[in-house]
Amino acid sequence: MKMSSVAHWEEYLGSAKVSAAAAGGRKQYHYVFKDNLELVEEYDRDTDLLLLRKWRKKKALGGTGAWEVELGEDALPVQVCKAILMSALFVEHLVLFRQTVICS
């Protein structure tokens, strides 16, 4: 990478609005740039390793496009997880064991 491109990237990154959150052992940074691009990066809280980087561009009429994952794997949406669970319930038998302790 050329030095001029690194300087340009630092300037571009510095111009973004940034918000940060931490949950589930991850730190998440959300950048919104002036050219309607969004960047989300997630890092492991303990090791500071980059786990996920994804981009999204806002549409001309105000909507948002789909996320494009550059690095890592994005978590499945809740609806997809429910659909997978429901299909598994109808295909296979599911046996659950419940252990109850009675205190006297």
Side-chain angles (χ1 to χ4, degrees), residues 21-73:
R26 291 184 173 206
K27 297 183 289 185
Q28 183 183 72
Y29 298 93
H30 184 234
Y31 301 86
V32 179
F33 299 99
K34 293 178 183 177
D35 57 356
N36 291 329
L37 272 176
E38 290 181 72
L39 166 65
V40 171
E41 292 183 327
E42 291 185 5
Y43 294 85
D44 184 274
R45 183 184 281 176
D46 298 326
T47 63
D48 285 330
L49 289 175
L50 179 61
L51 302 173
L52 174 69
R53 179 181 289 142
K54 60 185 178 178
W55 295 86
R56 177 169 66 178
K57 184 166 179 73
K58 291 185 181 178
K59 294 181 180 178
L61 298 176
T64 54
W67 286 103
E68 293 181 30
V69 177
E70 179 182 329
L71 177 78
E73 294 181 12

Side-chain angles (χ1 to χ4, degrees), residues 17 25 30 45 90 92 97:
K17 294 180 184 176
H30 184 234
R45 183 184 281 176
F90 290 116
E92 301 174 13
F97 293 96

